[in-house]
Amino acid sequence: MVTLFDPAALDSAADTVAPRSLLFLGGTGVISAAAAERAVVLGHRVTILNRGQSGKPAPDGAEVLHADIRDQAAVREVLQGREFDAVADFIAFTPDQARSSMELFRGRTGQYVFISTASAYQKPPTRLPILESTPLKNPFWQYSRDKIACEDLLFEAYRSDDFPVTVVRPSHTYDRTRVGLVGGWTDIHRMRTGQPVMVHGDGTSLWTVTHARDFAKAFVGLLGRPQAVGESYTITSDEYLPWNQIYGLFARAAGVPDPELVHVPSETIAAHGAGHSPHLGPSLLGDRAHSVVFDNAKIKALVPGFAATIPFADGTREIVQWHDRHPELQVVDQSFMDLSDRLIRWARRAAD
């Protein structure tokens, strides 16, 4: 068990929250663990259902049940017919998985919260800021298209027979364990060893970054809220930074005052990056290569106390300090090292 929150640091709304019965499917990822911790501290009755095989420890005070969510019989057995004010599904990624969850929880919850993704919004965006009404369209990334298909299925069930869905679309959400650079810790290693670092595009596109503790404030605030049923919400910070500055903040946190950043077109990285990871190109072209600035007015209207208060400058220090205390997490990916060296050489020749 682990406690990530200081209860004294919570806002005064904690004293007035009526306890709700909440079921988290997953509950051990970056955003779900932070949300579960906040829900427990606020006094909600939190049950976490997962396979018990990986992820972050459950917070003290949460009930933990083990079953494979893909095994409906096992889930029904472990839940024993219980009902919940809200079910938050962090681990449905395809329409088949969303349909299975609908079958499991139809009639057993007042609200089913599907965690989608802000990468589902139109790419490239035709206008900023991005609103909940922005079209959902991503021709680059199958992950995003699958999430869109899940949303279509769930909202159709809401329209046809009142399935109580709420959709949440987070963007880049991190905690101390997540190095949010394209190369992860490998980019920090390159900075610290005096090697140039590859930055996609020209480094000026804007990116929104949100600490998981900030996300949790809004997310837990919408659980069990009947007016949220049938609605979608973007939950992000209001802080957006150019990628050059994001790399610079990580460098400063790592003790590197003047990193050498080499810009490589996103399309070039995508074309050559399949050998490193099949997801590198789609995640770049379908998300990070584009400026994303979000309007959070809708979630703020539902959860008036919500404000993201952790600046990314503090977040980068938290991330680097955590990894420095845990050297076993400082994994250097040789395939990304090789890709960076190869494309940096190409970029320098192209610039001559």
Side-chain angles (χ1 to χ4, degrees), residues 14 74-75 87 89 131 134 147 177 189 204 224 226 230 246 284 323 330:
V75 173
V87 173
D89 192 343
L131 306 165
T134 297
K147 288 286 192 177
T177 69
H189 167 77
T204 62
I246 289 172
L284 268 180
H323 282 75
Q330 299 177 16

Side-chain angles (χ1 to χ4, degrees), residues 31 113-123 130-137 143-144 147-148 150-152 155 166-173 210 215 219 222 230-237 294-296 298-299:
I31 63 175
V113 183
F114 174 69
I115 289 72
S116 185
T117 172
S119 69
Y121 288 120
Q122 179 189 59
K123 297 295 183 301
I130 294 170
L131 306 165
E132 283 82 359
S133 59
T134 297
L136 304 183
K137 180 182 179 183
Y143 164 77
S144 306
K147 288 286 192 177
I148 294 170
C150 290
E151 290 195 33
D152 290 342
F155 279 125
T166 298
V167 167
V168 170
R169 301 186 188 115
S171 188
H172 179 162
T173 308
T210 309
F215 174 89
F219 183 79
L222 65 74
E231 298 284 352
S232 61
Y233 296 90
T234 303
I235 300 179
T236 73
S237 167
F294 300 96
D295 186 323
N296 283 284
K298 186 174 180 180
I299 186 63

Side-chain angles (χ1 to χ4, degrees), residues 20 22 85-87 110-111 113 219-228:
R20 299 185 178 98
L22 308 176
D85 294 316
V87 173
Q111 182 189 35
V113 183
F219 183 79
V220 176
L222 65 74
L223 298 180
R225 303 288 293 277
Q227 61 268 54

Side-chain angles (χ1 to χ4, degrees), residues 19-23 44-47 82-87 109:
R20 299 185 178 98
S21 176
L22 308 176
L23 175 64
H44 295 303
R45 299 181 297 275
V46 177
T47 300
R82 293 165 59 181
E83 298 182 1
F84 300 90
D85 294 316
V87 173
T109 183

Side-chain angles (χ1 to χ4, degrees), residues 150-167:
C150 290
E151 290 195 33
D152 290 342
L153 173 74
L154 293 164
F155 279 125
E156 176 56 32
Y158 166 73
R159 289 188 291 267
S160 63
D161 59 0
D162 291 325
F163 183 73
V165 65
T166 298
V167 167

Side-chain angles (χ1 to χ4, degrees), residues 232-253:
S232 61
Y233 296 90
T234 303
I235 300 179
T236 73
S237 167
D238 292 320
E239 181 179 27
Y240 47 89
L241 302 167
W243 277 103
N244 284 337
Q245 188 172 355
I246 289 172
Y247 276 83
L249 288 173
F250 269 110
R252 183 183 305 173

Side-chain angles (χ1 to χ4, degrees), residues 38-114:
R38 181 172 178 91
V40 167
V41 172
L42 287 175
H44 295 303
R45 299 181 297 275
V46 177
T47 300
I48 295 173
L49 176 68
N50 57 45
R51 294 179 297 172
Q53 296 181 357
S54 62
K56 302 176 186 299
D60 293 328
E63 175 189 28
V64 181
L65 302 175
H66 294 312
D68 186 343
I69 191 62
R70 311 302 171 216
D71 185 340
Q72 287 199 2
V75 173
R76 289 193 174 99
E77 180 178 356
V78 76
L79 291 179
Q80 298 179 343
R82 293 165 59 181
E83 298 182 1
F84 300 90
D85 294 316
V87 173
D89 192 343
F90 296 89
I91 53 176
F93 301 98
T94 67
D96 284 345
Q97 293 169 356
R99 185 178 294 106
S100 176
S101 289
M102 275 202 305
E103 294 171 358
L104 278 168
F105 298 107
R106 189 186 300 274
R108 299 177 62 176
T109 183
Q111 182 189 35
Y112 170 83
V113 183
F114 174 69

